[in-house]
Amino acid sequence: QVQLVESGGGLVQAGGSLRLSCAASRSGYSFVASAWYRQAPGKQRELVARITSSSSTNYADSVRGRFTISRDNAKITMYLQMNSLKAEDTAVYYCNADLRGSSTLMRSLWGQGTQVTVSS
C-alpha cells in the first residue's frame, strides 16, 4: 500500500530556513489535494498550507509570506519551503494528501511526521 514518507526536519536557528519533503512510497500515483499540518506540544494540529490539484495554494496567516508549498508531480513529492523561521514554528510537521492511482483514490494519507525545532 502506498505511504507518504517525510524528510527534512531538524534544528535551525531563528531566521533560518528548512525544506520539508513528502514523497509517495510507490510509483503510479498522482497528487490530488495535498497539505501540510503542524502540531506543537500541548496544541491542536493546525493547517499550515494547502495546494489543490490545479495548484492553487493557501496559507495560514501565521506563515503567509514565509512558507511556500509546492509539488513535483513527476517525483510524486510535495515540499514545504520554510524561510525566516521563528521559535513559534517549532512543531511536528505532517503532510496529508489524496493520491490517485490507475483505479483507486487513496484519501487523506498522512506522513509519519517530522520534527522542526527553531531555537531563539
Side-chain angles (χ1 to χ4, degrees):
Q1 183 172 343
V2 63
Q3 297 177 329
L4 296 178
V5 180
E6 298 184 37
S7 60
L11 174 64
V12 64
Q13 289 188 333
S17 297
L18 282 174
R19 188 176 79 157
L20 306 183
S21 300
C22 172
S25 61
R26 298 177 63 181
S27 61
Y29 289 86
S30 61
F31 282 112
V32 185
S34 51
W36 288 94
Y37 289 77
R38 68 185 180 187
Q39 187 166 18
K43 295 188 176 181
Q44 289 188 332
R45 191 171 296 189
E46 64 174 355
L47 177 66
V48 175
R50 179 186 289 126
I51 182 167
T52 69
S53 57
S54 59
S55 298
S56 296
T57 59
N58 57 63
Y59 298 89
D61 289 344
S62 59
V63 307
R64 188 175 293 112
R66 301 187 297 121
F67 290 12
T68 302
I69 188 171
S70 63
R71 64 169 180 253
D72 183 329
N73 291 325
K75 296 180 179 180
I76 327 176
T77 301
M78 56 187 286
Y79 304 97
L80 185 67
Q81 177 67 43
M82 305 184 294
N83 298 329
S84 302
L85 282 161
K86 305 175 181 179
E88 51 264 42
D89 295 319
T90 295
V92 178
Y93 284 71
Y94 298 91
C95 60
N96 176 271
D98 296 343
L99 293 180
R100 186 181 303 281
S102 59
S103 59
T104 62
L105 177 62
M106 307 293 290
R107 290 192 180 274
S108 196
L109 297 176
W110 288 94
Q112 81 277 15
T114 187
Q115 177 70 46
V116 172
T117 302
V118 184
S119 63
S120 57

